[in-house]
Amino acid sequence: MDAIKLYFKQECKLLMLALEHPKPSDFYISVWQATRSPVPLLIWRALLFLTSIGIVITSVTFYAISSVSLGYWFIYLTHWGLTLMILSTGFGFAVSLRTYISGPLSVDYSLPWYVKTFWVLHNMSVPVAFLITLFYWTILYEAGVSEEMNLGLDVSIHGINSVVMFLLLSSSSHPSRLVHVLHPMLFALTYVAFSLIYYLAGGVDTAGNRYVYPVLYWGSAGKAFLVVVITGLLLIVLHFATIGLAAARDAIANRLIRPSVTVHVDERLALRRPTDNV
């Protein structure tokens, strides 16, 4: 109990809202590594990034070749989540690539902007992906809502997104902080604001209905507001679940991998000699 109290006391400090971390290598070296090379995580993140691009290209292509306007692709939360997935895996890949090319990140000042951007995107994309998957399979699937122009793609996308984000989370080392729940909540509130503005502007879905999702129909404002509140609470729970997964990742890796690794390493030490190939 004392450990739990200490955790919440530490995590709820205003200082934790800052995007700072004393160990920059956690952003480009996997928790599962026994070496300091950025190459393993660079390759892994490249695969996740390419997978994300492939998913989005496939989804957009089906819209482009259908009779439905491509503009409708941008109204769905799933596609916002896919865009977030591309940005998150893309910035993760960029952080690893920059480190491989230019060496370790500096610890003298604040974390670079692109590392902070990756951290925020990661904080958003993981719980949002889980939310989209749960939202689809528990509510939208039974309601017959189709966001894709292909049924198979519609079903698969609402699972692949969570798999990609789970793989990104499980291969990382940087922390997931309690107060960073503000990041996914900000994303969710932005979408809620969009859906309301879209409704007030007379927007419709691909079938001509005055909503994007039937459960978020602002013509019944009370019901829509209730759905927003419940979904927001679920997103908070999923953020906690993300923290739990990150903690489990670290605990397992520390038991299996990290005991063989030197604990106190100079963060500024070169990751490879200039003559090395990798």
Side-chain angles (χ1 to χ4, degrees), residues 123 127 177-178 180-181 184 234-243:
N123 291 338
R177 292 178 174 166
L178 192 64
H180 285 173
V181 68
L234 177 58
L235 186 57
I236 293 174
V237 171
L238 291 173
H239 179 73
F240 290 161
T242 299
I243 293 174

Side-chain angles (χ1 to χ4, degrees), residues 99-136:
T99 305
Y100 173 73
I101 294 174
S102 303
L105 300 176
S106 173
V107 293
D108 295 331
Y109 303 102
S110 176
L111 285 174
W113 68 269
Y114 49 87
V115 176
K116 291 184 178 182
T117 301
F118 165 62
W119 200 355
V120 171
L121 290 170
H122 186 277
N123 291 338
M124 290 180 178
S125 60
V126 177
V128 166
F130 295 162
L131 175 68
I132 289 172
T133 296
L134 286 174
F135 193 67
Y136 177 81

Side-chain angles (χ1 to χ4, degrees), residues 57-273:
I57 289 177
T58 301
S59 177
V60 170
T61 298
F62 271 98
Y63 266 80
I65 63 178
S66 73
S67 58
V68 176
S69 171
L70 181 59
Y72 284 109
W73 190 90
F74 299 94
I75 70 173
Y76 291 107
L77 178 62
T78 294
H79 298 152
W80 282 42
L82 293 182
T83 303
L84 198 58
M85 180 177 67
I86 276 190
L87 292 172
S88 183
T89 56
F91 267 88
F93 171 68
V95 169
S96 293
L97 182 61
R98 183 271 173 208
T99 305
Y100 173 73
I101 294 174
S102 303
L105 300 176
S106 173
V107 293
D108 295 331
Y109 303 102
S110 176
L111 285 174
W113 68 269
Y114 49 87
V115 176
K116 291 184 178 182
T117 301
F118 165 62
W119 200 355
V120 171
L121 290 170
H122 186 277
N123 291 338
M124 290 180 178
S125 60
V126 177
V128 166
F130 295 162
L131 175 68
I132 289 172
T133 296
L134 286 174
F135 193 67
Y136 177 81
W137 291 108
T138 58
I139 298 177
L140 299 183
Y141 185 74
E142 291 296 328
V145 175
S146 179
E147 298 172 309
E148 303 296 333
M149 296 297 106
N150 177 277
L151 179 60
L153 183 64
D154 195 41
V155 171
S156 63
I157 274 183
H158 294 91
I160 294 176
N161 61 332
S162 288
V163 171
V164 171
M165 287 299 96
F166 173 77
L167 292 176
L168 183 66
L169 169 68
S170 61
S171 60
S172 300
S173 295
H174 65 270
S176 293
R177 292 178 174 166
L178 192 64
V179 293
H180 285 173
V181 68
L182 293 176
H183 300 154
M185 290 300 294
L186 179 61
F187 176 85
L189 289 174
T190 300
Y191 183 80
V192 169
F194 161 77
S195 69
L196 177 58
I197 294 172
Y198 190 72
Y199 168 77
L200 294 175
V204 297
D205 67 357
T206 55
N209 298 305
R210 281 292 312 277
Y211 51 69
V212 178
Y213 297 107
V215 295
L216 196 57
Y217 173 50
W218 290 103
S220 300
K223 180 181 177 181
F225 181 75
L226 180 61
V227 169
V228 169
V229 171
I230 293 174
T231 304
L233 292 174
L234 177 58
L235 186 57
I236 293 174
V237 171
L238 291 173
H239 179 73
F240 290 161
T242 299
I243 293 174
L245 289 172
R249 171 202 70 196
D250 294 343
I252 295 172
N254 284 333
R255 178 174 291 272
L256 298 179
I257 307 295
R258 291 304 174 86
S260 62
V261 181
T262 302
V263 176
H264 300 291
V265 178
D266 187 351
E267 290 282 330
R268 294 166 293 186
L269 188 65
L271 300 175
R272 56 193 174 97
R273 295 188 301 274

Side-chain angles (χ1 to χ4, degrees), residues 35-61:
T35 69
R36 295 183 62 245
S37 171
V39 174
L41 196 56
L42 171 64
I43 296 173
W44 182 248
R45 286 176 171 174
L47 293 174
L48 294 180
F49 182 39
L50 291 174
T51 299
S52 301
I53 291 175
I55 292 171
V56 171
I57 289 177
T58 301
S59 177
V60 170
T61 298

